Amino acid sequence: MVQKIGVVAAIFFCSSIQAQLTTPTQKVCFGASKNYSVDLADGLSGTPGSTYNWRVIEVEFSGVISNQDTNSITVDWGTTPVGEYHLGVTETNTSCPGTEIILTVTIMSLPTVVVNDAVICEGSTTSLKATVTPADTGNDYVYEWTTPSGVNPGNVSSITTAAAGDYSVKVKNSLGCVSAAAKGTVVVNPLPLAVITPAGATTFCFGENVVLNANVGSDLKYQWKKKGVAIIGAINSSYIATESSDYSVQVTNGNNCVKTSAAITVKVNPLPIAEITTSPGEFLEFCEGGSVTLHSKIKANLSYEWKNSNNVVVGTSSSYKATESSDYILKVTDVNSCSSTSKPISVLVHPLPDASITVVGATTFCDGDTVILKAIRKPGLSYQWRQNNIDIIGANGSSYTATESADYTVTVTDNNFRTNCSKTSPSPVKVVKKLLPVTGTISHD
């Protein structure tokens, strides 16, 4: 930009030549260079026969005036302090000096700008803001950014970025004064590794578990989550999963950068129902020779294992016919190889009483004689003697005196148990009564 100073010359004998100002004041940015001239209408060298003398009146001026003796100069204001200065020029023609004309020049301070630094984690963004003094009141400044990528974000006071590196910005005010560049640095810290490694199968039966291990390293912190929700207190590098769900782990490193792992699915299969039932009308307490059929409550898609009190497998079907006293348990296994064991069920088998007969005397005798038949005598036993398989009325003692020929048996009932177990003699006692001979009268000669 050239600041023109107009000169009007009146030629009189030895009269001075007087230049006139067309612009009495000028604003200049600190450190700028400006061009000044007079008498350009008279040619590139000014008025013929004239010489020129330029100066800055104030002693604080610390710049340089180039081509000072000509009508057209350049002033490098350099480090001249901010303030008001006066640039004067005196024209001399035919040894006649004119009156010095003055241009008031105000050195304006440059705007200053600062930009923030930022530290972010990989995958995040940050905002870099240029803060200008004097403050930007809207459209006062033009911003010029330099970015690591070389992409110019345009005339904006702040930018959003995810890239690491040095960013710089200059601002220019409405006078064209440009600030020194301000630098802001973006540091991008890496995210931690976040990987889950299960220590066993992730599908298992209820009551079992799997240990989930996160990657380990220095300065790492952990938060386990179930379906994306933090598990209270689960802040170690390992977690024991016992429930069906999707599990993930959030890992935080020493730079407070956070990464959440991919979810791992844990499936817990329910246990089959192991419960023993009995057939209708059957009882768990019965007499020797009887039985009770034990059934699994669930009978579809299971395998079975019946065990007695000695832990011996006695059956592998869905039911078992028990004939002996014991505590029986049932273990069932489903198609997922999940097993459960029932509560024990007690079967009580009472022995049959002894129904053997002891004979006191001969079982073959003459009419008028008898034989005593005795059964085992114990507390709680009751008896019923039988003659040729017919109950003998009133013959309910532990012994019976037989007087007639017949097959005798006894049915003994044990009343010590509610089952009232009975047994009849396996072999009858055969009693034979011989008739006495009938002798007639003695005859004689």
Side-chain angles (χ1 to χ4, degrees), residues 23 46 61 74 141-142 157 163 198 236 244 314 316 320 372 375 395-396 435:
T23 302
F61 173 68
T74 298
Y141 297 101
V142 175
S157 62
N236 296 320
S244 294
V314 295
T316 56
Y320 174 69
I372 297 175
N396 304 120
L435 299 175

Side-chain angles (χ1 to χ4, degrees), residues 72-368:
S72 186
I73 65 169
T74 298
V75 178
D76 181 356
W77 291 95
T79 59
T80 302
V82 172
E84 184 176 285
Y85 296 87
H86 299 86
L87 174 63
V89 60
T90 301
E91 180 182 358
T92 300
N93 188 282
T94 63
S95 300
C96 293
T99 301
E100 183 179 40
I101 62 173
I102 303 297
L103 175 66
T104 299
V105 178
T106 301
I107 303 297
M108 306 296 294
S109 61
L110 300 180
T112 60
V113 61
V114 293
V115 63
N116 57 293
D117 295 324
V119 178
I120 60 173
C121 297
E122 181 183 355
S124 300
T125 61
T126 187
S127 179
L128 296 180
K129 180 174 178 59
T131 302
V132 186
T133 304
D136 190 345
T137 58
N139 301 318
D140 290 340
Y141 297 101
V142 175
Y143 298 83
E144 181 181 345
W145 290 88
T146 301
T147 65
S149 66
V151 176
N152 186 352
N155 180 25
V156 290
S157 62
S158 64
I159 59 175
T160 299
T161 182
D166 292 333
Y167 294 74
S168 64
V169 63
K170 295 179 181 180
V171 294
K172 181 170 65 174
N173 63 17
S174 58
L175 295 175
C177 299
V178 179
S179 70
K183 184 180 78 171
T185 300
V186 175
V187 176
V188 179
N189 289 318
L191 299 180
L193 184 65
V195 177
I196 298 175
T197 303
T202 55
T203 298
F204 49 84
C205 301
F206 177 81
E208 299 175 1
N209 60 67
V210 62
V211 178
L212 305 179
N213 293 312
N215 52 285
V216 295
S218 61
D219 296 327
L220 296 183
K221 297 178 182 179
Y222 307 90
Q223 175 61 65
W224 290 89
K225 296 182 177 182
K226 182 165 65 174
K227 290 186 177 179
V229 178
I231 304 171
I232 296 175
I235 56 174
N236 296 320
S237 61
S238 296
Y239 179 74
I240 300 175
T242 59
E243 299 178 352
S244 294
S245 192
D246 292 332
Y247 293 88
S248 60
V249 64
Q250 177 183 288
V251 182
T252 304
N253 63 17
N255 294 316
N256 287 323
C257 292
V258 179
K259 185 175 182 180
T260 299
S261 71
I264 190 167
T265 299
V266 172
K267 181 181 179 182
V268 180
N269 291 316
L271 299 182
I273 297 174
E275 186 176 343
I276 300 174
T277 62
T278 57
S279 298
E282 292 192 344
F283 302 96
L284 297 175
E285 185 178 358
F286 53 87
C287 300
E288 181 183 355
S291 65
V292 62
T293 301
L294 308 178
H295 300 278
S296 170
K297 185 174 183 179
I298 307 298
K299 300 183 179 180
N301 301 318
L302 298 175
S303 61
Y304 311 88
E305 187 177 78
W306 296 88
K307 289 185 177 182
N308 61 17
S309 299
N310 297 321
N311 204 35
V312 175
V313 177
V314 295
T316 56
S317 64
S318 62
S319 62
Y320 174 69
K321 186 176 181 179
T323 59
E324 298 179 352
S325 293
S326 184
D327 289 336
Y328 293 91
I329 59 172
L330 171 64
K331 178 182 179 181
V332 293
T333 304
D334 63 16
V335 293
N336 296 314
S337 297
C338 295
S339 299
S340 61
T341 301
S342 71
K343 294 180 179 179
I345 191 169
S346 296
V347 173
L348 183 59
V349 181
H350 295 295
L352 298 180
D354 187 349
S356 61
I357 300 173
T358 301
V359 179
V360 180
T363 56
T364 300
F365 54 82
C366 296
D367 186 17

Side-chain angles (χ1 to χ4, degrees), residues 364-411:
T364 300
F365 54 82
C366 296
D367 186 17
D369 292 334
T370 62
V371 63
I372 297 175
L373 307 178
K374 290 187 175 182
I376 300 296
R377 185 175 182 178
K378 289 183 179 179
L381 298 182
S382 62
Y383 309 89
Q384 176 61 63
W385 292 91
R386 309 189 79 192
Q387 185 183 64
N388 295 330
N389 293 323
I390 298 174
D391 291 346
I392 303 171
I393 297 173
N396 304 120
S398 62
S399 64
Y400 179 73
T401 300
T403 61
E404 301 292 334
S405 294
D407 291 334
Y408 290 90
T409 58
V410 64
T411 298

